[in-house]
Amino acid sequence: MSLLSQKHLLGIQDISKADIRLIFETAKQFKEVLNRPIKKVPSLRDITIANLFFENSTRTRVSFELAEKRLSADVVNFSASSSSTKKGETLIDTVNNILAMKVDMIVMRHPSPGAHAMLSKHVDAQIINAGDGTHEHPTQALLDAFSMEEKVGDLNGKNVLICGDVKHSRVALSNILCLKKLGAKVRVCGPPTLIPKYIESMGVQVSYDIKDSLAWCDIANVLRIQLERQDIKYIPSLREYSIAFGINKSLLNSLKKEIVIMHPGPMNRGVEIDSDVADSEHSIILQQVENGVAIRMAVLYLLAGKKE
Ligand code: CP
């Protein structure tokens, strides 16, 4: 059985292009399984996986749980609101107590950047990062790039725009790392206050002109304004953001070509994206969600074989 080069999936930073290709090839096979009348395989029978979510989630949590169940794993779910970390227990103690109940793998979302990397040094189980604060969201980047390839083929040399609140977005960082490994050209666009100063050092173009950026790209991945992570106001108001940077039908109609529209969710309709764009034939937003299950099945399957 082919396996990944890493024991954990902490971020796209740590994995190779060969790992990404292996995940995609495996996900293609699992996507076929998911389109069969019986959508289940025994690959992870007798493996127990705990999903620890210390931050809200709809897509990622349900997608991981479905992926685990489609692989016949045993699954336990745990959320911050019911956790003993509220009583002062450390994250390491919480996870080691869960592992003592013969849990094999941990899928975790946590608000602190680096929480997974720290945990991986203190526990004996594979750790999969389902989002660590503003840092990385590796399975989102993998499902995004997989969905892009399905739509436009090889990403080498393709122009991919990431627009919106890049500063607070773990999706943006993981997408940039993944897309660069696959040879895509990446541009970010948004208000100057929401574009981090270091981003150009990652080999990414920066623009503050949304119309020019849409005309440049083959694919636009639209991000939400993350008000919950903004301790100060980075934009005057959502209405002004929408007027200056929101993706609407008239902007798309003004382009001389068709582009693919993506969004990782959750969407704020009428802010960063209008409904007539999100629900249009150019949008692959729900295909991204569908592909998320196959990508997560692939990651779980490949990492499960890595247990020492
Ligand atoms: N894309 C994403 O991470 O969505 P959730 O926050 O709903 O998991």
Side-chain angles (χ1 to χ4, degrees), residues 163-169 194 223-227 230 241:
C163 51
D165 185 356
V166 176
K167 185 182 179 73
H168 299 99
S169 176
L194 293 177
L223 305 177
R224 178 173 71 88
I225 299 290
Q226 299 197 35
L227 289 176
Q230 298 185 13
Y241 177 82

Side-chain angles (χ1 to χ4, degrees), residues 56-61 109 137 140 264-266:
N56 294 342
S57 171
T58 299
R59 277 146 292 271
T60 312
R61 204 194 67 73
R109 172 169 287 189
H137 192 349
Q140 181 69 46

Side-chain angles (χ1 to χ4, degrees), residues 4-281:
L4 299 182
S5 64
Q6 303 291 313
K7 178 177 176 184
H8 311 284
L9 181 61
L10 302 176
I12 301 293
Q13 180 94 54
D14 308 315
I15 62 171
S16 64
K17 182 177 175 181
D19 286 328
I20 295 171
R21 292 254 68 96
L22 177 58
I23 291 167
F24 286 6
E25 288 313 309
T26 311
K28 278 182 201 162
Q29 292 169 32
F30 283 132
K31 193 166 174 180
E32 276 179 35
V33 170
L34 293 171
N35 285 314
R36 289 182 199 156
I38 298 171
K39 302 171 179 56
K40 204 161 175 164
V41 286
S43 312
L44 294 195
R45 203 166 49 203
D46 298 329
I47 298 279
T48 304
I49 304 173
N51 299 316
L52 315 184
F53 277 72
F54 295 91
E55 253 192 7
N56 294 342
S57 171
T58 299
R59 277 146 292 271
T60 312
R61 204 194 67 73
V62 174
S63 181
F64 265 113
E65 186 174 344
L66 272 176
E68 291 151 3
K69 287 181 170 168
R70 303 290 193 221
L71 291 167
S72 305
D74 293 317
V75 180
V76 284
N77 291 304
F78 167 100
S79 66
S81 55
S82 55
S83 144
S84 285
T85 52
K86 296 264 184 215
K87 300 178 195 167
E89 187 173 64
T90 67
L91 179 62
I92 294 168
D93 280 340
T94 296
V95 173
N96 273 326
N97 276 270
I98 290 169
L99 293 177
M101 295 180 240
K102 309 295 179 205
V103 166
D104 300 294
M105 300 173 79
I106 299 287
V107 173
M108 184 171 83
R109 172 169 287 189
H110 199 279
S112 301
H116 302 72
M118 182 275 294
L119 194 61
S120 70
K121 295 184 175 65
H122 295 276
V123 304
D124 181 26
Q126 296 97 321
I127 309 287
I128 298 174
N129 183 355
D132 61 331
T134 55
H135 181 223
E136 279 227 39
H137 192 349
T139 56
Q140 181 69 46
L142 291 165
L143 75 89
D144 286 346
F146 182 83
S147 304
M148 291 178 203
E149 281 199 353
E150 255 188 0
K151 192 70 184 170
V152 303
D154 188 354
L155 293 180
N156 191 35
K158 294 283 187 320
N159 291 348
V160 181
L161 174 68
I162 299 172
C163 51
D165 185 356
V166 176
K167 185 182 179 73
H168 299 99
S169 176
R170 56 193 172 211
V171 174
L173 187 60
S174 289
N175 258 265
I176 290 167
L177 292 165
C178 190
L179 291 166
K180 296 294 291 178
K181 285 184 188 199
L182 296 174
K185 289 182 245 165
V186 184
R187 180 188 285 201
V188 296
C189 179
T193 49
L194 293 177
I195 305 291
K197 296 280 179 281
Y198 66 79
I199 209 92
E200 272 172 305
S201 69
M202 297 181 75
V204 169
Q205 298 178 26
V206 175
S207 168
Y208 308 116
D209 182 338
I210 191 65
K211 193 168 177 186
D212 177 72
S213 295
L214 290 171
W216 169 84
C217 74
D218 301 301
I219 301 163
N221 201 354
V222 186
L223 305 177
R224 178 173 71 88
I225 299 290
Q226 299 197 35
L227 289 176
E228 75 276 19
R229 296 195 200 278
Q230 298 185 13
D231 42 0
I232 57 166
K233 277 196 149 201
Y234 288 83
I235 50 171
S237 71
L238 290 180
R239 183 163 162 68
E240 279 155 296
Y241 177 82
S242 174
I243 291 165
F245 291 97
I247 311 299
N248 56 49
K249 198 74 180 189
S250 70
L251 255 181
L252 293 192
N253 288 343
S254 73
L255 306 176
K256 293 187 176 64
K257 61 177 188 179
E258 294 194 347
I259 62 169
V260 179
I261 298 292
M262 303 177 67
H263 195 304
M267 266 190 290
N268 287 147
R269 290 172 181 264
V271 180
E272 72 273 9
I273 190 165
D274 277 5
S275 285
D276 55 6
V277 174
D279 303 329
S280 72
E281 69 279 13

